[in-house]
Amino acid sequence: IDDKVLVTAMVDRLTHKAILLNMTGKSYRMKETQEMMTQQI
């Protein structure tokens, strides 16, 4: 989405009453993607 104001408004509405979790560590999705990419080579 090119409109930064629109994106900011959307994120604001999605997170208004949400509980936000700051997660650190390795991503399982990234790990699976890397494994898939190495298998294709």
Side-chain angles (χ1 to χ4, degrees):
I1 302 173
D2 293 327
D3 188 347
K4 292 180 181 180
V5 175
L6 178 60
V7 172
T8 303
M10 290 170 51
V11 171
D12 181 57
R13 281 158 182 76
L14 288 171
T15 60
H16 176 62
K17 290 189 177 183
I19 297 172
L20 301 177
L21 302 175
N22 185 11
M23 300 178 70
T24 58
K26 294 185 177 182
S27 167
Y28 287 109
R29 286 188 197 161
M30 183 60 73
K31 179 182 172 187
E32 289 177 357
T33 300
Q34 288 174 344
E35 289 175 358
M36 183 177 67
M37 295 299 286
T38 56
Q39 290 175 358
Q40 290 180 354
I41 296 175

